Structures are given as structure tokens and as C-alpha cells.
Amino acid sequence: MPETDATGQTETKGEDDAPEPGPPTPRLYSVTTHYTDQFLGGQQGPDLLCDDAVTALHFALTTSSSSPLAVTCSTTADGRTWTPLPLHLLHADARSTLQQNATPAMYPGPASNSRPHHGRPRKALSRLIELAQAEWLDSVLRVPVDEASTWVPDEPATADWTRAGRLWAAVWGDVPSETVLDQLPAPADTHSAHRGTTRLRAEATAVLDATALARTPAADDDSLAGLHAAWTLLHHLTERTQRISALHPDTAAPLAATRDHPAAARIRAAAHAHLRHVLALWPKTADWTDRARTAFQKELHTLRTPMDSPPPGPPETRPQALLREVLDALPVPAALSRHEAAALWRSHSGRGAEQAGWDAAVQTNRTDDLALAHLTEGTPRQKGDAIAEARRALTTVTRFHDEHVTTHAARGHLHALAASLVTLDKAQRTLQHGIWDIAAQRRAQHDPSKGPWSGHDEQRATADLVPVLADGEARIAHLRQRHLDLAHDALNDLIPQLADTPRHGHRHHRMRDHLAPLDLLRQDLNTLGSQTDALHRTCHELRTRLNTGPRYGQKHATDHDLAVAEKQLRDVHRRYADTQTEFALSVTLGRIFDQIRTPHPPTHTTTAPRPSRRTGPAVPTGHDQATAAALLPGPTAHGPTTA
């Protein structure tokens, strides 16, 4: 992962700052939403891909408090492996970021736009997050009286304070601070508000205690009863939580830790009952439900299946074992999300990572401007105008960056498809060579004393090989078509114009040039080559002046001038290497795009040919000679790539 100036810059101490640890590991945050109402239920809502935890947390808070949207966040440190991230952990990352006083460093951002000298307004950003949390809490407090009504009461009732306290603890994992509670709209009845906040804190504390008890295995009947009571309280959190998707799965007791307990069967039964409740309540809004359901089914299967039962069926033959090994190593066709595909492309493309760095720097600066706008001095109207202007600027930047994410995601889908096709081609060649090796070994085991090797012997020796080879090639072809279909569907979702773009139409070529702009990259390579030659001459001139002195009419050269010129030369060299990599990848993207638009017709073969000799390794169909290396393991301009 490329390093930037932000990762190693000197931290500026504030007025009340304690000694701070080193910078955290750079992370990339994906915040996605989908609607939960009866009209748009299940459809995707606004999303955000950034490397700033503060910006991601502010987006999640403001989005989830404004409309019926379920918010889901995930994170990655390498652009390839993603893990779910509950909101309370995102909040912890944001606090850690503010303590570091450093610009996020997932992407290489421009030095002129990342504020490396002044630092970030940590106090203003902390206040901005507290205001967003107060708005979120107010949206939880002030809800319609029933599902059929839109009227919201002016004063929260006791049940509203109870529900809000429980949800706060479930989502944020702590008790709301006095600073957040002070930001709530001032109620008319001060005593009622005091009683409400007291009850909110008490309910939040009760949920935290119940969660801690649910994570601890029961030791006796009394603690088992307490565990059941804790699960009952956690079950009550389901009131109006269909729009909250950040409840952590750790509320379910760990089954493995209670396996050897005398009351393990009863504890597992209670845990399974709790899981069944949770799985039914969050069928669409929680990412971990599928994994919990799979783990639950696997455990039931393990408990019901005897350990010493022999595997059913006849023993596996050598060709069947070869086929199983080849197919087990193939990637399972899985649809990449929009952000996963964009991050995948940026992890391979240096130019894409640079563009993302610019976007991330501007996004971070606009978030800082919004935080500072809340501290504007002057009349309330002046402060309100400053906040509104900062919000409009942040929204504009977010929409502009969304276009880059869409383009990078489309390229990421094509890149992943190309890598999958290479893997499938390798698997097919491995299967063919393995089958040919088995046939050659059987041919070598023939006894010459029984006569020469005949066609009858050949047919009898390969009778079980031909069906295995045909079956393997058919299944590989099926996987290939599934990968093509997934990529086609993903591109249609990202770029709807693909659905009605003819193969030889002008729009098709425009779309392909948009995803793989070879002409622009050629121009950039020529320009960067000219700049490289000019900078080489400049550095040579500066070294000559330093060694022999300037000639008549020339200026004196200094070591600083030479250092600046050499740095510019290194930057141009890096950009040239990035553009070369981008060009090679774009050649692949153009060919893969054509293959998606005009897929090859399926081949229906019942028998496979038996070649008389082994052929050399062919070029993978997903790439040509110039671009196949871009997806094979090995160092590139921006780190290793996946095969």
C-alpha cells in the first residue's frame, strides 16, 4: 500500500492534548444504505466510500437520522478483504483519528490539498460528531405514534426514552454523554426532560449489563436464569429497530465456550432460540444474519451426525480426485458490491488510487469546513448561512466523487472477471494435462509381450477418462458463463446505458472508451515521456553547474534546486509507470467488455478429444501477452495482484 506524507508527518500538540500514540493502520470505510419502508424496501440508498473515519461516521449518522434507511458499514486495510464494522467500532476509529491529528492515509493525496501543516480542527470535528449523534438520538426519540400515522408528539413519552436508551446502548455500546444530551432540542418541561434522560441512561446501562452477561457462559442454574433474563431484555430491543442494522452479533452467547458445561444443552437451546428470534427480526438489514444462520445449521448438523460414520458411496478414482481438486480450487462466482469493485480497481491501478486520493483529500477538507462552520461567530443567521453553505459544498463534493466510484467500480468488475477467466483457463489446462498424464502412465504400463498397443487398448484405458474430462470442461464452461453473467448484471446496474447498447453501435464504442480510454492514455504516455526527457536534461544541467560552475548568462545552481528537480523526475517516473500499468489493464478491460457484450456461444460436447501429444501453455483468454502479467502474482507499481 502506498505511503503518503500524512502517515509520517509530525503531530501538532494542542492545548489539552496528552501524549499520543503513533498513526493507526490506514483503513478504507464503505458506508451503504438501503430503504426499509413499504414503498422502497430493499432498494439501495446513498452510500459513501472514503478513508476518513470521521467523514464516514458523520455520513452514517446524518443519513440514518433523516429517512427510513438501514446503515451498514464495512472496512478494509488492503482494498480486497472486507469485514463488517458496527457503528460503535466506527465511532472508536473516529475518536482515534481525532487523537492522531493526521490526515487519513489510505490513498496518496495531493500535498497541496491535505493540510499537512495546520492539522485538523479536532475540537470542531468532535463537536460536529456530537451534534450528529444528538440528531440521531432525537430521531429515535421522536417517532410517529403508530405505523399508519406521521404525527410526531412534541414531548417524548416514557416509552420513547426507554426505547431510545436501549437502542443507544445496542448501537453505540456505551451510555450517552452529557454533551450529547445537552445538544437535544430544549423541551418545554425541564423536569420531564430530566426524568427522561435519567431513564434513558438507566435503560442503556441495563442493556450493557445484559450484553455483558449474554457474552459470558452460564456457570450454574442461577446464572442460566440470569442469562435467559438478559436475552429477554435484548429481545425487547426489537421495538422499531428495522432501520437499525448496527446491532452487533456478539449479543448471542458463544456456543463453543459452553460446549463442555453440564448445562450445555440447555444453554445451546436458549442461544439457538435467541438466534431464531434475531434472524427473524433482521432478515434484510443485518449483514451477519446469513453467517449466523449458516453457523447455526452447521452446529445442528454436527450434533446430529455421528463422528465415526463411513463416507457413503464407492471409493474415489484417481481421475475423479483430479477433477475434485481442480474444481475445488476454482473461485466461487460471487457478486462484488459497488465499493468492493471500486476498491479492487484502485488497489491495482496507480492512477485510480491517485484520483481517489484527490477525492478523499477534498472530502476531508469539506468535512473540516462543515465542522468549523458550526463555530462561526456572529448572528444566528450568519452562522446558519455558513453551515448551509458548508453542507452544500460537502454534498456537491460527495456527488462528484460518486461518479468516480461508479467508473472505478465498473473497471473493477471487468478486472475481477478477467482474473476469473485466467483462473478458469489455468484450471482447464491443469485438468487436461492431468488426464493426459494418467493416460500416458497407463500406456506406459502396457506389457509388450501381449502385443503392440492397439486402438482397442487405447479405448479401454481411457474409457473412464473421457467422461471425467468432458464433465470437468462442461462445469468450467458453466462457471465461466456465470462469471460473465454476474459481470454483465453488475455493469448494467452501474451503467444502465449498457442494456440497450448494440454491439457495433457508436454508443458501444463510447462506453468502451469510457471504461478503457486507450487514446487518452497514449497521449499521457507521450506527454510524460517528454517531461521525463526534459527533467533528465534539467538534472544533468544542474549537476554540471554544481561541478563546473555556471557559464556566462546562467544562474547559479544550488543543492536545493537539484533536489527539487530530482523529486520532480521521480514523480514523473512514478506517473509514467502508473500510466503504463493503466494502459495494459485497459487493453484487457476493452477486450473483456467486448466479450461481455458478445459472449461466445456455449459448446455442447458429449465427448472430449484425445490429443496425441501435449500442447504448450496457451495465453489465457481473459488477457493477451501484454496484459496477462498484470493479474498474475508478482510485484507491480502498486503492490501484488491476485490471480
Side-chain angles (χ1 to χ4, degrees):
M1 192 160 32
E3 296 181 356
T4 64
D5 296 337
T7 58
Q9 66 183 4
T10 304
E11 299 172 359
T12 304
K13 303 298 180 180
E15 299 176 359
D16 53 353
D17 297 334
E20 300 164 349
T25 302
R27 305 178 78 178
L28 187 63
Y29 300 95
S30 168
V31 185
T32 58
T33 62
H34 57 267
Y35 291 94
T36 58
D37 59 357
Q38 57 181 338
F39 302 105
L40 300 174
Q43 295 188 20
Q44 292 296 120
D47 56 16
L48 179 69
L49 180 65
C50 68
D51 61 353
D52 182 17
V54 178
T55 303
L57 179 61
H58 181 262
F59 178 85
L61 283 167
T62 54
T63 304
S64 61
S65 62
S66 59
S67 56
L69 288 169
V71 179
T72 304
C73 182
S74 55
T75 183
T76 179
D78 56 5
R80 298 178 178 89
T81 305
W82 292 82
T83 55
L85 188 71
L87 288 184
H88 70 273
L89 294 183
L90 177 60
H91 189 206
D93 284 357
R95 289 199 302 264
S96 176
T97 300
L98 294 178
Q99 291 175 359
Q100 303 305 322
N101 191 30
T103 304
M106 182 65 187
Y107 293 129
S112 61
N113 201 26
S114 58
R115 298 181 179 177
H117 302 293
H118 304 289
R120 304 191 66 186
R122 290 183 286 179
K123 292 183 178 180
L125 288 171
S126 298
R127 178 175 173 80
L128 179 66
I129 295 301
E130 291 172 353
L131 289 173
Q133 284 185 315
E135 292 178 1
W136 184 91
L137 182 57
D138 185 65
S139 68
V140 173
L141 276 171
R142 304 177 187 276
V143 295
V145 293
D146 53 50
E147 296 293 338
S149 174
T150 58
W151 177 75
V152 178
D154 296 333
E155 297 293 336
T158 302
D160 296 332
W161 290 105
T162 300
R163 180 189 63 253
R166 293 176 176 180
L167 286 179
W168 181 279
V171 173
W172 301 108
D174 59 4
V175 179
S177 63
E178 291 290 346
T179 308
V180 173
L181 296 177
D182 291 342
Q183 304 298 330
L184 292 174
D189 189 353
T190 308
H191 297 288
S192 175
H194 178 71
R195 291 194 302 269
T197 54
T198 302
R199 186 172 187 83
L200 185 146
R201 284 176 165 274
E203 291 295 334
T205 303
V207 169
L208 294 177
D209 294 341
T211 303
L213 182 59
R215 292 174 178 173
T216 305
D220 49 36
D221 291 341
D222 295 336
S223 58
L224 184 62
L227 182 62
H228 179 71
W231 282 335
T232 303
L233 175 60
L234 295 176
H235 173 67
H236 290 326
L237 292 175
T238 59
E239 302 172 6
R240 299 184 183 274
T241 57
Q242 294 300 325
R243 54 188 289 201
I244 307 298
S245 64
L247 186 62
H248 200 271
D250 286 348
T251 52
L255 304 183
T258 61
R259 187 180 299 275
D260 299 329
H261 191 269
R266 294 160 56 190
I267 296 175
R268 281 201 301 270
H272 290 164
H274 175 68
L275 279 179
R276 285 195 297 270
H277 282 300
V278 172
L279 294 177
L281 292 168
W282 286 280
K284 297 179 180 179
T285 58
D287 287 344
W288 52 270
T289 52
D290 292 335
R291 295 192 297 274
R293 184 183 296 108
T294 302
F296 170 66
Q297 294 173 351
K298 285 183 178 180
E299 175 146 352
L300 288 182
H301 178 73
T302 303
L303 293 175
R304 295 173 181 174
T305 303
M307 297 299 295
D308 55 351
S309 58
E316 192 177 47
T317 63
R318 184 181 174 188
Q320 291 173 346
L322 172 65
L323 177 61
R324 176 180 52 80
E325 293 175 0
V326 169
L327 294 179
D328 289 346
L330 294 180
V332 178
L336 292 175
S337 68
R338 180 168 171 263
H339 288 173
E340 290 174 346
L344 176 65
W345 174 254
R346 293 169 178 180
S347 66
H348 288 278
S349 168
R351 290 169 64 95
E354 186 180 23
Q355 179 64 63
W358 281 92
D359 292 349
V362 176
Q363 183 101 30
T364 301
N365 291 342
R366 297 295 82 79
T367 304
D368 295 352
D369 294 341
L370 178 60
L372 292 173
H374 284 277
L375 303 180
T376 302
E377 297 181 357
T379 64
R381 181 175 181 178
Q382 292 174 342
K383 183 176 182 179
D385 292 342
I387 293 175
E389 180 63 27
R391 285 178 176 174
R392 283 194 297 268
L394 180 59
T395 302
T396 301
V397 167
T398 303
R399 292 177 180 175
F400 179 72
H401 297 169
D402 188 77
E403 298 176 2
H404 291 162
V405 172
T406 300
T407 301
H408 292 172
R411 295 174 182 175
H413 282 294
L414 293 175
H415 182 88
L417 174 63
S420 300
L421 295 183
V422 168
T423 304
L424 291 173
D425 290 338
K426 290 181 179 178
Q428 185 168 355
R429 293 196 302 272
T430 301
L431 177 63
Q432 292 174 350
H433 294 172
I435 294 295
W436 294 338
D437 289 341
I438 295 175
Q441 291 177 3
R442 293 179 179 179
R443 192 179 299 113
Q445 294 174 357
H446 175 68
D447 188 2
S449 62
K450 297 182 179 180
W453 183 264
S454 62
H456 177 70
D457 296 330
E458 177 76 17
Q459 182 179 6
R460 185 174 56 182
T462 59
D464 61 332
L465 303 182
V466 173
V468 171
L469 181 59
D471 182 32
E473 291 181 341
R475 293 166 72 174
I476 291 175
H478 176 69
L479 290 175
R480 183 189 307 274
Q481 189 59 44
R482 287 191 60 187
H483 282 290
L484 289 171
D485 293 341
L486 284 175
H488 183 269
D489 295 341
L491 290 180
N492 282 337
D493 293 338
L494 291 171
I495 310 175
Q497 299 91 327
L498 289 177
D500 55 353
T501 301
R503 168 64 182 89
H504 298 288
H506 180 63
R507 295 177 62 193
H508 165 78
H509 294 287
R510 288 188 59 187
M511 197 66 61
R512 184 180 62 181
D513 293 340
H514 173 68
L515 297 177
L518 297 182
D519 292 339
L520 296 178
L521 292 174
R522 287 192 187 96
Q523 296 176 9
D524 290 346
L525 285 174
N526 294 333
T527 302
L528 292 171
S530 301
Q531 293 178 1
T532 302
D533 295 338
L535 287 172
H536 272 298
R537 290 193 296 269
T538 301
C539 292
H540 178 71
E541 261 184 50
L542 292 174
R543 293 191 189 96
T544 302
R545 292 183 199 175
L546 289 174
N547 294 332
T548 63
R551 296 181 180 178
Y552 179 76
Q554 290 182 339
K555 295 182 179 180
H556 287 276
T558 63
D559 293 335
H560 176 72
D561 296 335
L562 179 60
V564 171
E566 289 178 343
K567 182 181 183 303
Q568 292 177 351
L569 180 60
R570 289 194 299 269
D571 293 341
V572 172
H573 272 305
R574 178 186 59 80
R575 290 182 58 84
Y576 189 86
D578 292 346
T579 306
Q580 280 186 318
T581 303
E582 185 90 0
F583 187 88
L585 295 176
S586 296
V587 172
T588 297
L589 297 190
R591 298 187 177 186
I592 293 298
F593 180 76
D594 291 338
Q595 188 171 348
I596 289 179
R597 298 301 302 155
T598 57
H600 297 292
T603 56
H604 301 283
T605 57
T606 56
T607 60
R610 295 189 298 270
S612 58
R613 60 182 179 87
R614 178 175 304 187
T615 58
V619 177
T621 59
H623 306 79
D624 59 0
Q625 293 283 3
T627 60
L631 290 174
L632 298 179
T636 61
H638 285 270
T641 58
T642 56

